[in-house]
């Protein structure tokens, strides 16, 4: 396994990405972009290179891979909750979102919003019936897993008339608005396609700024075309957007360096350096990420059921070293909720999180000795266990970095590389000893906090074997 890690990443060191994301874009001239006074005009196709696969296609309710960057440009949404200011509602195709009481939400649609001029809807107006059909499709889709709100909180959703959606919940729930405007659950699909149980992996009709022009999963090319009838005309300015999925990161960077791609995502800091050095007129943009990484343990199984053993792992893992090696820009040591969410309002300060992992003194030797002492006290100085990970280069790098740090304190750690479907199935049912988790960019504390609830993220059981009635009480209070 270690021989497969590329020389570029090995020389840079192995680490965890924890809080940043970077994009590089090739510009027609040097500098930081167009002058502020420039007048935008239509034209051109933006070509994006990525090594992240499109997992299921462009079905907005199911896709969790690279398609997450594609389908939101095809489908419309009523609104979104601003993840930086979570008391702010960003209206999209809704004219208003109101909550007349704690159990009712009324969404009134804008006039003049139409679907793309594609059969079977052929440019007809978006109605409340489409919104209702889309929410019910998400709730009832067999491949959708994150739908606890739809099955346990939502009472009913109905069209009061063509332009008004009425949502009733079983109890007050502070995350209802986010669920209704979620990037996946909130996508508006024409009711004709819902009724026909249409396969939306390669084709579909939405009311967003682009339509699906070409989908070729074999060639791994996904192309969108400008929707000339988009209700926010003259947007979009681009004639099209194209995503190409490459075999690996090196091929992705080569496409950018040779001008075959205009934009590329940088997986880690070495890639950012390579991109900047290998492509003329490259502009690298870093922005905070809501995604994060963690190591999950099955704490009701030995050796993890001993708090001293878990404490030893906390001490042994040097988070700053992980961040230095692989974070694409800056990284943060995080608690249960990402610091970038609502500008840190819901999060523990990073100083408190760091204090929880602190050991007396500083330096690798002191950290290693402290971890060894804790392991010895737990009678687990040479314990063996396996870390599961998805078999992508990024996640193998992360698991390898953690493994190397744990080997240094005497533990016998192996890595089990799994395809994404198998890994996810194991994660959801708690079938692991330890597992590296690449968390989705959740826009509220709802899902992150559910990871610590006794009923877990799906309302059945906690996949880590965690049961704490006091934590459950606090999380349930937060829902109201």
């Amino acid at each position: 396994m270690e021989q497969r890690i590329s020389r570029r990443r090995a020389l840079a060191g192995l680490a965890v990405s924890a809080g940043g994301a970077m994009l590089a874009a090739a510009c027609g001239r040097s500098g930081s972009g167009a002058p502020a006074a420039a007048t935008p005009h239509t034209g051109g196709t933006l070509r994006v290179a990525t090594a992240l696969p499109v997992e299921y296609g462009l079905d907005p309710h199911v896709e969790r891979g690279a398609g997450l960057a594609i389908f939101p440009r095809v489908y419309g949404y009523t609104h979104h909750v601003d993840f930086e200011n979570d008391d702010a509602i960003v209206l999209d195709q809704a004219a208003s979102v109101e909550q007349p009481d704690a159990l009712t939400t009324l969404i009134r649609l804008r006039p003049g919003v139409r679907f793309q001029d594609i059969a079977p809807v052929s440019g007809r107006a978006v109605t409340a019936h489409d919104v209702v059909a889309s929410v019910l499709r998400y709730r009832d889709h067999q491949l959708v897993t994150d739908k606890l709100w739809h099955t346990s909180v939502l009472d009913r959703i109905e069209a009061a008339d063509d332009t008004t959606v009425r949502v009733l919940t079983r109890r007050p729930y502070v995350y209802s608005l986010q669920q209704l405007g979620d990037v996946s659950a909130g996508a508006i699909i024409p009711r004709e396609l819902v009724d026909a149980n249409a396969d939306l992996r390669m084709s579909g009709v939405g009311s967003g700024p682009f339509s699906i022009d070409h989908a070729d999963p074999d060639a791994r090319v996904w192309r969108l075309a400008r929707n000339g009838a988009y209700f926010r005309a003259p947007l979009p300015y681009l004639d099209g957007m194209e995503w190409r999925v490459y075999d690996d990161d090196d091929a992705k960077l080569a496409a950018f360096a040779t001008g075959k791609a205009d934009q590329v995502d940088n997986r880690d800091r070495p890639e950012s350096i390579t991109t900047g050095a290998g492509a003329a007129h490259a502009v690298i943009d870093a922005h905070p990420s809501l995604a994060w990484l963690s190591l999950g343990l099955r704490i009701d199984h030995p050796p993890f059921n001993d708090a001293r053993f878990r404490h030893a792992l906390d001490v042994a893992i040097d988070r700053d070293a992980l961040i230095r090696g692989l974070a694409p820009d800056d990284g943060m040591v995080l608690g249960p909720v990402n610091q970038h969410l609502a500008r840190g309002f819901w999060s523990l300060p990073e100083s408190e999180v760091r204090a929880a992992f602190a050991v007396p003194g500083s330096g690798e030797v002191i950290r290693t000795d402290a971890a060894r002492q804790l392991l010895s006290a737990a009678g687990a100085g040479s314990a063996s266990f396996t870390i599961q990970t998805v078999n992508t280069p990024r996640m193998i790098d992360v698991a390898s970095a953690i493994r190397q740090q744990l080997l240094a304190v005497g533990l016998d750690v192996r890595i089990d590389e799994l395809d994404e479907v198998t890994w996810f199935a194991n994660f959801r049912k708690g079938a692991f000893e330890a597992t590296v988790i690449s968390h989705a960019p959740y826009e509220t504390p709802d899902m992150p906090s559910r990871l610590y609830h006794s009923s877990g993220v799906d309302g059945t059981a906690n996949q880590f074997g965690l049961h704490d009635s006091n934590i459950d009480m606090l999380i349930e209070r937060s829902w109201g």
Side-chain angles (χ1 to χ4, degrees):
M1 177 199 67
E2 280 137 358
Q3 290 175 346
R4 294 202 337 250
I5 298 172
S6 73
R7 181 175 182 271
R8 173 178 56 80
R9 289 200 299 273
L11 289 174
L14 300 172
V16 148
S17 166
M22 299 192 78
L23 294 174
C27 300
R29 62 182 184 84
S30 61
S32 58
T39 301
H41 58 86
T42 59
T45 297
L46 181 68
R47 302 165 301 166
V48 181
T50 182
L52 177 67
V54 175
E55 294 290 350
Y56 187 77
L58 300 185
D59 188 324
H61 290 165
V62 182
E63 170 64 14
R64 290 296 182 271
L68 278 168
I70 306 174
F71 70 70
R73 294 169 164 85
V74 175
Y75 294 94
Y77 299 81
T78 58
H79 69 281
H80 301 286
V81 174
D82 185 345
F83 75 85
E84 289 189 339
N85 304 284
D86 64 350
D87 58 347
I89 302 298
V90 180
L91 297 178
D92 186 358
Q93 298 183 4
S96 66
V97 177
E98 308 163 16
Q99 289 184 301
D101 59 63
L103 301 179
T104 306
T105 300
L106 296 177
I107 301 174
R108 305 186 193 279
L109 300 181
R110 293 179 185 269
V113 179
R114 296 184 174 277
F115 286 112
Q116 295 138 13
D117 192 9
I118 301 171
V121 292
S122 302
R124 71 162 176 83
V126 176
T127 72
H129 304 281
D130 299 303
V131 177
V132 171
S134 300
V135 172
L136 296 180
R137 179 184 188 266
Y138 186 89
R139 182 197 66 184
D140 299 334
H141 202 296
Q142 292 183 342
L143 296 181
V144 173
T145 55
D146 296 332
K147 54 183 177 182
L148 191 57
W149 179 86
H150 293 75
T151 57
S152 65
V153 178
L154 177 64
D155 183 16
R156 65 183 186 274
I157 181 171
E158 57 196 15
D161 54 48
D162 282 350
T163 61
T164 306
V165 180
R166 181 185 293 116
V167 182
L168 301 174
T169 58
R170 294 186 175 99
R171 61 180 183 271
Y173 202 77
V174 297
Y175 304 118
S176 292
L177 291 179
Q178 190 278 333
Q179 288 288 340
L180 290 166
D182 180 74
V183 67
S184 295
I188 303 173
I189 299 168
R191 64 181 183 275
E192 292 92 334
L193 297 184
V194 176
D195 292 342
N197 195 26
D199 187 343
L200 302 181
R201 289 177 293 177
M202 305 302 142
S203 64
V205 185
S207 50
F210 293 91
S211 61
I212 300 172
D213 180 57
H214 179 76
D216 189 341
D218 295 326
R220 295 181 292 181
V221 176
W222 310 82
R223 190 177 302 124
L224 304 182
R226 182 175 184 266
N227 174 17
Y230 185 51
F231 79 102
R232 294 189 188 277
L235 296 176
Y237 294 117
L238 287 169
D239 283 340
M241 298 185 72
E242 178 183 281
W243 283 259
R244 287 184 179 267
V245 179
Y246 289 86
D247 288 333
D248 53 42
D249 296 313
D250 292 335
K252 170 192 73 178
L253 295 179
F256 182 76
T258 56
K260 295 178 181 178
D262 308 302
Q263 181 174 300
V264 64
D265 58 303
N266 286 326
R267 183 172 65 88
D268 51 32
R269 186 172 296 164
E271 281 197 5
S272 299
I273 296 171
T274 300
T275 302
H281 309 304
V283 174
I284 298 177
D285 175 48
H287 58 89
S289 173
L290 288 181
W292 82 104
L293 296 163
S294 69
L295 178 66
L297 311 175
R298 186 73 201 200
I299 67 170
D300 56 346
H301 294 172
F304 307 109
N305 58 346
D306 189 321
R308 295 170 298 181
F309 186 84
R310 301 196 299 272
H311 188 191
L313 298 189
D314 268 342
V315 171
I317 295 175
D318 186 343
R319 291 154 175 81
D320 287 317
L322 300 179
I323 289 170
R324 285 193 302 271
L326 278 186
D329 185 43
D330 282 332
M332 297 183 72
V333 178
L334 301 175
V337 179
N338 192 308
Q339 278 277 4
H340 298 303
L341 182 62
R343 298 181 180 177
F345 180 82
W346 299 109
S347 310
L348 289 174
E350 186 178 13
S351 59
E352 287 190 27
V353 179
R354 287 181 173 276
F357 304 134
V359 294
S362 62
E364 182 179 348
V365 174
I366 293 177
R367 178 183 292 274
T368 300
D369 287 346
R372 287 181 181 274
Q373 292 173 13
L374 288 164
L375 290 172
S376 178
S382 58
S384 300
F385 62 90
T386 298
I387 298 175
Q388 293 185 8
T389 184
V390 175
N391 59 354
T392 60
R394 174 177 185 254
M395 297 308 296
I396 293 172
D397 284 1
V398 173
S400 300
I402 296 171
R403 175 177 179 263
Q404 291 297 330
Q405 291 188 356
L406 298 181
L407 289 176
V409 299
L411 294 171
D412 177 18
V413 181
R414 299 171 300 280
I415 294 179
D416 188 9
E417 301 174 20
L418 306 172
D419 65 86
E420 187 166 10
V421 173
T422 302
W423 178 90
F424 185 77
N426 286 357
F427 172 68
R428 274 302 175 90
K429 62 186 179 183
F432 56 82
E433 292 181 288
T435 188
V436 179
I437 308 166
S438 179
H439 295 273
Y442 298 116
E443 297 185 353
T444 74
D446 190 15
M447 186 63 70
S449 63
R450 284 185 180 275
L451 291 168
Y452 297 87
H453 193 277
S454 296
S455 62
V457 296
D458 60 2
T460 59
N462 186 281
Q463 57 266 59
F464 308 113
L466 174 64
H467 300 279
D468 189 306
S469 59
N470 290 320
I471 294 177
D472 291 349
M473 177 186 66
L474 291 170
I475 293 173
E476 290 165 16
R477 280 177 53 191
S478 76
W479 294 341

